[in-house]
Amino acid sequence: QVRLVESGGGSVQAGGSLRLSCAASGDTGTSYCMGWFRQAPGKEREAVAAAHIWTGGGYTYYGDSVKGRFTVSHDNAKNVVSLRMNSLKPEDTAMYYCAADTRGCSTAWYRERGYRFWGQGTQVTVSS
């Protein structure tokens, strides 16, 4: 089992920044994929970014809508994956979720069904 606890959501004006964190505990194994998803009211859940986490480093993926603005990073010591969000726009407003796939990331990192474990979600609101 893997437990994911998110933190860091909040309200910010357009152009501002926020950092979300997802603390992973339990049996993540030596490598896993941490994905970030978001869901706005009335819309389908959207893949935002993902990071393949392993002891030798990692690599990241980004959705087109956030590329160049969002950055995923990993604190190995704490096993915390962060999503740094810069240049936020009102359309970034959503509930954000982290999710873990203990098999690691694949080219299909954006598909929800690959992620077995999910965080509770944290709200991000961007005002214009």
Side-chain angles (χ1 to χ4, degrees), residues 28-82:
T28 57
T30 57
S31 67
Y32 65 99
C33 184
M34 185 71 85
W36 287 94
F37 293 79
R38 66 185 181 187
Q39 188 167 23
K43 294 187 177 181
E44 293 187 354
R45 193 145 55 183
E46 174 191 13
V48 174
H52 181 81
I53 310 297
W54 66 294
T55 53
Y59 45 91
T60 55
Y61 304 88
Y62 297 96
D64 290 341
S65 62
V66 306
K67 203 170 292 183
R69 300 188 297 123
F70 290 13
T71 303
V72 182
S73 61
H74 180 237
D75 183 327
N76 286 325
K78 298 179 180 179
N79 205 15
V80 172
V81 180
S82 296

